[in-house]
Amino acid sequence: MTATTSVAPAIADFAARVRRSLDDLPVDEIEDLTEGLEADLTEKALDEDLGDPEEYAIELRSAAGLPARSTKARAGWSLANVRRWRAAAATRIRNHAVGAQLLDFAIALRPGWWILRGWAVFQVAYLVAGGRGIVSLLPDTPVRWVVFAALAIVSVQWGRGRWLPRRLSVAKLAVSALALLALPFLMVAAADSAARAYAASASPAPETSPAGLAHDGGSITNIFAYDANGEPIARVQLFDQNGKPLSTKLPGEDFITSSDTTALVPSESVTSGNGWNVFPLESVPVTAIDTMTGRPAPNTTTRPVMPPFARVQALLGTAKIGNGSGAAPTPSATPTPAGSPTPVPTP
């Protein structure tokens, strides 16, 4: 008795909705179709779910041989009308052999659509949550994988008619419509992101030049200068075109390792004692480097580094004129025997 009393309001509401779905029929036909409806519903509710009242009304019409409800009776985008339109469209399609085959094929693809719907909802939710306009084919973090999997499972269950309270049937249609409208844009954005990622991975990494001074890809540790006569010059200060001192020391290093036993250190001839641009650099034993300061210990004697050549080829000389322009002098003629008027320049 308790169970019957608790289900009675739901049955009464269900029966009222069934009668509203039949209100396009004459009153006497409605009474004939719904005679004993509450008792039948009460008995059915004890064993199974009552289902949808509009579908129940359609079954009553079909059992009585009555035509389907006219869409003019209740126009609008109600869930019942959408279902009726869908059923009518499916019936018309199946009247043709090719249409029936295409419809069966589309029905076989429904699980794929359910997954795609979950993917579209995931992408839209990610963009709304601040995805910076990036759409990827697959989630790129474990958390996003979990969210996508949850949405895909819910979408599949909705497609199977599970996990969907009847009051949310309209929400299912809205979500499906949103996913269908967003899919073309999401697919284009995902393809663009995939193309950009492929281009970035296929592009060779830019070659990085060594830090400090370099030549032919190798680091320069010391510089030796020679004068116009080919003699080595000691203590030459070098600067670049902006007046910045040239240094062969790497950033963050305190000295330059020349070999396993020696290290190059800056010249002490400058005011700061940090003359890394005074060449050639001199060396000290590695054991003389203070590990705390990175500089040679006090009273450490530096040793000159032998240049690669004791002497190089002298430059071609040019005599200087009064203004110091370095222009070559005009050749002068030397006396020649008679009959040879052509002057001969002296070297």
Side-chain angles (χ1 to χ4, degrees):
M1 186 64 179
T2 303
T4 304
T5 303
S6 62
V7 79
I11 292 175
D13 179 71
F14 191 96
R17 295 176 62 183
V18 170
R19 290 187 173 91
R20 282 198 301 270
S21 299
L22 300 172
D23 58 4
D24 61 315
L25 299 175
V27 177
D28 55 342
E29 288 188 5
I30 296 176
E31 293 178 353
D32 291 339
L33 290 176
T34 60
E35 184 179 3
L37 178 60
E38 284 77 2
D40 294 338
L41 293 175
T42 302
E43 182 178 359
K44 182 179 180 180
L46 297 176
D47 300 326
E48 58 181 306
D49 185 30
L50 294 178
D52 185 78
E54 284 80 9
E55 293 181 357
Y56 195 96
I58 293 174
E59 292 177 2
L60 291 178
R61 289 175 183 272
S62 178
L66 296 175
R69 179 185 179 89
S70 174
T71 56
K72 296 180 180 179
R74 293 180 64 182
W77 290 95
S78 66
L79 183 60
N81 284 341
V82 170
R83 288 175 175 173
R84 281 193 291 269
W85 295 336
R86 184 178 63 183
T91 302
R92 287 193 297 269
I93 292 174
R94 289 192 178 278
N95 289 333
H96 304 277
V98 176
Q101 294 178 3
L102 292 176
L103 185 59
D104 291 338
F105 180 73
I107 291 175
L109 295 179
R110 283 191 303 178
W113 156 245
W114 298 337
I115 297 292
L116 199 58
R117 179 174 58 189
W119 178 83
V121 173
F122 165 76
Q123 295 293 352
V124 171
Y126 175 59
L127 292 175
V128 172
R132 301 189 303 276
I134 300 175
V135 178
S136 58
L137 290 175
L138 294 175
D140 53 358
T141 64
V143 174
R144 291 171 188 165
W145 266 110
V146 171
V147 175
F148 167 63
L151 292 174
I153 291 174
V154 171
S155 180
V156 170
Q157 290 297 88
W158 280 13
R160 299 176 59 199
R162 311 287 179 82
W163 297 6
L164 183 65
R166 297 192 179 280
R167 63 179 179 273
L168 296 181
S169 298
V170 176
K172 173 187 173 182
L173 291 176
V175 170
S176 299
L178 173 65
L180 196 60
L181 292 174
L183 266 177
F185 304 98
L186 294 174
M187 295 300 291
V188 171
D192 181 66
S193 298
R196 291 176 182 271
Y198 174 77
S201 62
S203 303
E207 296 183 359
T208 57
S209 58
L213 294 181
H215 177 69
D216 290 342
S219 298
I220 298 175
T221 58
N222 210 345
I223 297 176
F224 299 89
Y226 295 82
D227 62 14
N229 295 322
E231 300 294 338
I233 304 176
R235 302 171 69 181
V236 175
Q237 300 184 71
L238 299 182
F239 298 85
D240 65 7
Q241 71 282 358
N242 298 318
K244 182 180 179 180
L246 293 180
S247 174
T248 58
K249 181 181 70 70
L250 297 177
E253 298 291 339
D254 295 315
F255 58 90
I256 300 174
T257 303
S258 178
S259 67
D260 294 338
T261 58
T262 60
L264 300 178
V265 293
S267 174
E268 298 289 341
S269 302
V270 297
T271 303
S272 63
N274 194 25
W276 282 107
N277 70 320
V278 180
F279 296 98
L281 300 174
E282 296 185 336
S283 68
V284 298
V286 173
T287 55
I289 301 294
D290 189 341
T291 57
M292 297 296 295
T293 64
R295 302 294 295 272
N299 302 323
T300 299
T301 302
T302 59
R303 293 179 294 181
V305 178
M306 295 301 296
F309 306 104
R311 190 176 186 278
V312 298
Q313 181 179 0
L315 301 179
L316 296 178
T318 56
K320 290 187 177 181
I321 60 178
N323 60 3
S325 63
T330 304
S332 60
T334 57
T336 57
S340 301
T342 304
V344 178
T346 59

